[in-house]
């Protein structure tokens, strides 16, 4: 059989006027590409079948628990890199809103280069907690409660408005959908879009965001309709509030410098130009950043297109999850952080984290690895009372616990938030 196959291949190669090895290589490459392309959609098909959301009509019965499961698999298996980056972008974009950016520059550690690294990672671990921990869990309630505790003084005095909170929620659910549509190997399916909107609506309710006050309604047929309504509202909100100011420009400069300083020095200049391209015209104007040139734009979009095609046709699906934070330690309750930006906040100093391939590369580039900074970086992980400015670390334990119970009581974890009451 082998000799027959070899003989047939040699004959075909001879007729085509090429080497048999070229023919075999092309056939092997084609088979591998078809295999990758076929397996790439397997996880989506399995998830859709297992949770039974085959069409748009079925999305109205999606529960908060199912929504979290779907978003979780998106973030650790399907799109871990760009999902994470799109959330970073979403958070950064909210800083261009006049009320949010000006307030952060005046009162937040984000505006201080020496403290910005911790505050940035604090925001990241809170957002990771919203996705990682299922509705109804103590860890999710505590993560939302800590957010509410840190925002509480500013909401009570009117410095953070209900509209500001809704806009941050909108960007957090909208940007991942937009980034996957533009830059990932596939766009999100309706089930996944609905899941993101459903999960963030649940988080928003735990944060006491009043949807009716901004949107004029509090009932929708599914997550997609909810996202569409918030998107229409957000467009008007941006027209009124997304604009330049000296404080926002200074805040943007600090944060861009922080992000670039987390990468090797040789990559910072081209990284800055690519960042300017991806930021978009409105954000560049709001932060006062320069316009990129045509060459930078072509390079940035070409790299993204190449990555998209490479993953789509030449990469087998991820089988090892991209873990951003751990489960709470059963004894101490501490949660470890595996994806710090610049300083290794809450990152465990394991042998692999300090001497593995990525760590060796970071060392060679003069960047920090887990364990650098000692106990000040809390390498055993964080408790939620560690999240926030240094002067708030360890404070508000009782208040955070009270807010956690209040947040859990606001909405049922297993509820179908878009199931409309029956008439009659």
């Amino acid at each position: 059989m082998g000799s027959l196959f070899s003989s047939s291949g040699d004959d075909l190669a001879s007729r085509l006027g090429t080497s048999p090895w070229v023919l075999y290589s092309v056939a092997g490459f084609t088979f591998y590409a078809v295999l990758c392309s076929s397996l790439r959609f397997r996880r989506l098909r399995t998830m859709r079948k297992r949770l039974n959301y085959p069409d748009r009509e079925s999305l109205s019965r999606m529960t908060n628990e199912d929504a979290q499961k779907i978003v979780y698999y998106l973030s650790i298996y399907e799109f871990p890199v760009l999902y994470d980056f799109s959330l970073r972008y979403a958070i950064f974009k909210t800083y261009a809103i006049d009320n949010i950016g000006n307030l952060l520059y005046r009162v937040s550690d984000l505006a201080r280069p020496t403290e910005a690294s911790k505050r940035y990672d604090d925001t990241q671990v809170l957002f990771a907690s919203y996705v990682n921990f299922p509705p109804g869990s103590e860890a999710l309630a505590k993560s939302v409660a800590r957010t509410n505790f840190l925002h509480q003084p500013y909401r009570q005095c009117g410095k953070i408005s209900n509209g500001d909170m809704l806009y941050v929620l909108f960007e957090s659910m909208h940007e991942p959908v937009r980034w996957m549509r533009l830059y990932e190997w596939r766009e999100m399916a309706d089930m996944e879009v609905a899941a993101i909107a459903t999960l963030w609506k649940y988080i928003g309710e735990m944060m006491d965001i009043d949807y009716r006050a901004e949107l004029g309604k509090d009932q929708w047929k599914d997550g997609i309709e909810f996202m569409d309504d918030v998107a229409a509202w957000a467009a008007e909100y941006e027209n009124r509030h997304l604009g330049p100011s000296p404080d926002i420009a200074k805040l943007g400069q600090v944060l861009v410098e922080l992000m670039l300083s987390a990468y090797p020095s040789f990559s910072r200049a081209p990284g800055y130009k690519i960042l300017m391209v991806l930021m978009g015209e409105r954000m560049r104007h709001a932060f006062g950043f320069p316009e990129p040139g045509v060459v930078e734009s072509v390079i940035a979009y070409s790299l993204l297109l190449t990555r998209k095609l490479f993953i789509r046709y030449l990469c087998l699906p991820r089988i090892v999850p991209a873990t951003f934070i751990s489960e709470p330690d059963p004894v101490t309750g501490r949660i470890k952080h595996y994806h710090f930006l610049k300083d290794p906040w809450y990152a465990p100093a394991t042998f692999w984290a300090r001497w593995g391939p990525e760590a060796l590369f970071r060392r060679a580039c003069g960047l920090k690895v887990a364990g650098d900074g000692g106990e000040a970086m809390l390498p055993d992980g964080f408790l939620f009372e560690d999240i926030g400015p240094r002067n708030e670390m360890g404070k508000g334990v009782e208040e955070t616990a009270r807010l956690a119970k209040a947040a859990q009581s606001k909405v049922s974890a297993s509820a179908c938030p878009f199931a409309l009451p029956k008439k009659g």
Side-chain angles (χ1 to χ4, degrees):
M1 181 64 72
S3 60
L4 178 60
F5 177 78
S6 176
S7 176
S8 299
D10 290 347
D11 291 343
L12 179 59
S14 177
R15 289 197 296 272
L16 294 175
T18 187
S19 166
W21 290 110
V22 172
L23 185 64
Y24 297 149
S25 297
V26 171
F29 180 84
T30 303
F31 173 78
Y32 178 74
V34 171
L35 177 66
C36 290
S37 182
S38 174
L39 294 179
R40 274 261 150 221
F41 291 89
R42 185 177 182 181
R43 189 173 282 120
L44 171 61
R45 293 192 296 266
T46 300
M47 181 68 72
R48 181 182 281 139
K49 183 177 181 180
R50 179 164 68 87
L51 297 179
N52 193 25
Y53 296 117
D55 51 31
R56 176 71 184 267
E57 184 178 355
S58 66
L59 302 179
S60 62
R61 54 179 169 77
M62 181 177 290
T63 65
N64 294 317
E65 291 172 331
D66 283 353
Q68 185 269 336
K69 291 175 185 176
I70 294 168
V71 179
Y72 181 63
Y73 101 84
L74 285 177
S75 68
I76 67 170
Y77 284 114
E78 291 288 85
F79 317 122
V81 174
L82 286 196
Y83 187 90
D84 176 61
F85 195 88
S86 66
L87 278 180
R88 294 172 186 260
Y89 178 90
I91 296 167
F92 191 79
K93 186 177 179 182
T94 65
Y95 300 157
I97 296 297
D98 51 12
N99 191 40
I100 298 172
N102 292 330
L103 178 65
L104 284 172
Y105 183 76
R106 292 195 303 270
V107 305
S108 173
D109 285 349
L110 278 170
R112 294 189 284 170
T114 57
E115 301 294 331
S117 173
K118 179 182 186 300
R119 295 296 290 118
Y120 189 94
D121 278 1
D122 283 351
T123 302
Q124 186 187 29
V125 298
L126 285 173
F127 273 65
S129 297
Y130 303 155
V131 172
N132 272 56
F133 303 127
S137 66
E138 183 181 5
L140 176 61
K142 285 183 176 180
S143 67
V144 174
R146 189 61 181 178
T147 306
N148 290 344
F149 172 78
L150 295 173
H151 288 163
Q152 188 172 245
Y154 305 105
R155 295 189 73 178
Q156 288 177 344
C157 69
K159 291 182 178 179
I160 296 179
S161 69
N162 188 64
D164 296 333
M165 295 292 292
L166 181 58
Y167 183 76
V168 174
L169 182 142
F170 165 71
E171 286 297 327
S172 302
M173 65 181 181
H174 168 73
E175 286 301 331
V177 175
R178 186 179 74 89
W179 275 71
M180 301 316 118
R181 183 179 69 250
L182 294 176
Y183 307 127
E184 261 296 2
W185 61 272
R186 70 167 174 87
E187 64 180 313
M188 291 189 189
D190 281 353
M191 178 190 72
E192 296 162 331
V193 176
I196 285 183
T198 301
L199 178 62
W200 278 104
K201 181 177 181 292
Y202 173 75
I203 298 296
E205 289 170 345
M206 295 177 76
M207 291 181 175
D208 279 329
I209 296 177
D210 187 344
Y211 298 124
R212 179 173 287 278
E214 305 300 327
L215 306 175
K217 59 190 288 192
D218 56 13
Q219 291 185 340
W220 296 267
K221 70 178 183 180
D222 56 31
I224 295 176
E225 184 180 69
F226 173 70
M227 185 177 290
D228 288 344
D229 275 9
V230 182
W233 170 87
E236 292 298 320
Y237 185 87
E238 287 182 358
N239 290 335
R240 297 194 307 271
H241 298 287
L242 187 70
S245 79
D247 287 351
I248 288 176
K250 293 172 186 175
L251 178 64
Q253 194 62 44
V254 170
L255 292 175
V256 167
E257 290 175 1
L258 169 66
M259 285 187 280
L260 294 177
S261 68
Y263 296 94
S265 55
F266 65 82
S267 69
R268 291 170 191 168
Y272 178 83
K273 294 177 181 178
I274 292 174
L275 184 60
M276 292 302 105
V277 174
L278 299 180
M279 196 170 289
E281 182 178 357
R282 293 193 72 182
M283 279 185 66
R284 288 193 298 266
H285 174 68
F287 284 111
F289 289 128
E291 292 293 313
V294 175
V295 174
E296 289 89 348
S297 298
V298 170
I299 292 174
Y301 291 123
S302 296
L303 288 173
L304 286 167
L305 177 61
T306 301
R307 177 188 179 276
K308 174 192 288 191
L309 295 175
F310 179 77
I311 294 176
R312 173 69 172 80
Y313 294 104
L314 297 178
C315 284
L316 292 170
R318 175 185 286 270
I319 57 174
V320 178
T323 306
F324 291 89
I325 58 176
S326 71
E327 292 292 317
D329 185 276
V331 177
T332 66
R334 292 191 172 274
I335 300 170
K336 296 177 176 62
H337 180 210
Y338 303 112
H339 197 60
F340 61 89
L341 180 65
K342 178 182 179 182
D343 299 309
W345 283 102
Y346 322 125
T350 62
F351 180 85
W352 183 262
R354 288 189 60 77
W355 299 104
E358 181 181 352
L360 292 175
F361 176 77
R362 291 182 66 88
R363 288 177 183 275
C365 295
L367 303 175
K368 294 180 181 179
V369 298
D372 289 353
E375 293 301 313
M377 295 288 107
L378 302 182
D380 292 331
F382 66 88
L383 298 173
F384 284 106
E385 51 262 36
D386 297 320
I387 302 299
R390 287 184 190 272
N391 62 357
E392 293 287 351
M393 291 180 68
K395 296 181 180 179
V397 178
E398 295 81 7
E399 178 65 6
T400 299
R402 184 190 69 79
L403 291 171
K405 289 182 179 179
Q408 281 183 310
S409 68
K410 294 182 188 302
V411 60
S412 168
S414 59
C416 300
F418 300 107
L420 299 178
K422 294 181 180 179
K423 296 180 180 180

